[in-house]
Amino acid sequence: MSQVLIAEDNAGIAAFVAKGLRSAGYAPVVVGTAREAWEHAQTGEFDLLILDIGLPDADGFSVLRRLREARNSMPVIVLTARSSVTDTVAALEGGADDYMPKPFRFEELLARVRLRLRAEGAGGAEATVLMVGDVSLDLRTRRARVAGKEVDLSAREFALAEMFLRNPDQVLSREQLLSRVWGMDFDPGSNVVDVYVRYLRKKLGADVVETVRGMGYRLPTNGSGE
Ligand code: CA
């Protein structure tokens, strides 16, 4: 049974995550401070750390930094504030394996937890690469490639591409994409999704993402890059 350490001082969120993980078959332990997070993470008893950035004694970044400095490579999923792109970027640059903008649905977090634990089990780097057709995303280094050539994606473009590659052939509605990539549970009436799909097509290839009229977008597994 995988042991998951949750460092989160908000008791409501911590309980919600712990309860969900327990019913998904994991053994969660909750701590509420950066000091405890560091102490527990160091023991080597945990398979994964879910790390909040806003902890009362020190921020989550300091825990992440210390872990990586100590060459502790346990997978870390950072909980970031929805609005803070800076935090997200800092988390990934600081060695986080993934991030989860708050507020989130438990299923979204669970999918990330599963993926991280699976990647570890499979022995690292290879398993963190998503690939469909010519497009590949390295989730660890946050690098994208098309037919082996590196392509520069912004953090948001990468997150959107990741959604498509994780759900090949599925139609994803604007609402789903807004919710999972931008963390908005309402449509602010902007065309932000359409704009970013355009960016992705420009960077990854025009036929990488299909428009499904009246429904949303889809990444087809055949035809891309052919
Ligand atoms: Ca907090």
Side-chain angles (χ1 to χ4, degrees):
M1 192 191 285
S2 296
Q3 312 257 23
V4 178
L5 180 61
I6 304 164
E8 166 63 83
D9 61 314
N10 178 309
I13 297 175
F16 152 80
V17 172
K19 184 174 165 234
L21 286 176
R22 212 169 291 121
S23 58
Y26 298 103
V29 169
V30 174
V31 294
T33 62
R35 186 180 54 79
E36 291 170 291
W38 162 247
E39 284 169 3
H40 281 69
Q42 256 193 323
T43 61
E45 281 167 26
F46 294 92
D47 302 294
L48 182 134
L49 168 62
I50 296 172
L51 179 63
D52 184 35
I53 289 303
L55 294 169
D57 51 338
D59 66 28
F61 293 125
S62 66
V63 178
L64 182 60
R65 201 164 44 237
R66 283 181 79 180
L67 278 174
R68 296 312 186 221
E69 276 169 10
R71 305 201 176 270
N72 183 321
S73 63
M74 79 190 292
V76 177
I77 299 174
V78 166
L79 304 180
T80 58
R82 163 92 35 243
S83 53
S84 182
V85 176
T86 339
D87 275 6
T88 305
V89 171
L92 294 171
E93 284 178 351
D97 299 271
D98 210 339
Y99 65 96
M100 186 76 250
K102 289 194 215 178
F104 49 86
R105 296 204 181 92
F106 179 71
E107 290 68 32
E108 298 175 77
L109 178 64
L110 182 61
R112 284 166 160 82
V113 168
R114 285 200 170 122
L115 183 87
R116 290 303 143 203
L117 289 173
R118 214 166 39 227
E120 278 311 286
E126 262 167 296
T128 64
V129 177
L130 295 175
M131 191 158 183
V132 174
D134 276 350
V135 180
S136 69
L137 299 179
D138 187 323
L139 302 175
R140 204 169 279 265
T141 60
R142 314 302 286 180
R143 291 218 171 93
R145 288 173 186 276
V146 178
K149 262 181 118 174
E150 197 166 320
V151 178
D152 233 2
L153 296 186
S154 70
R156 192 71 79 180
E157 290 164 354
F158 193 96
L160 181 62
E162 185 182 336
M163 261 304 283
F164 282 116
L165 267 82
R166 281 188 200 275
N167 301 282
D169 284 326
Q170 280 180 44
V171 178
L172 300 171
S173 68
R174 284 182 182 73
E175 291 72 26
Q176 280 174 315
L177 293 168
L178 271 174
S179 148
R180 300 205 214 158
V181 177
W182 280 266
M184 291 188 251
D185 282 327
F186 59 97
D187 187 343
S190 71
N191 58 350
V192 61
V193 173
D194 311 81
V195 169
Y196 271 80
V197 165
R198 255 196 323 270
Y199 292 161
L200 279 190
R201 283 176 175 155
K202 224 175 260 173
K203 293 185 173 181
L204 303 180
D207 52 1
V208 161
V209 178
E210 284 179 357
T211 303
V212 183
R213 205 171 290 277
M215 295 180 76
Y217 294 104
R218 190 172 84 102
L219 178 139
T221 49
N222 54 357
S224 65
E226 283 172 11

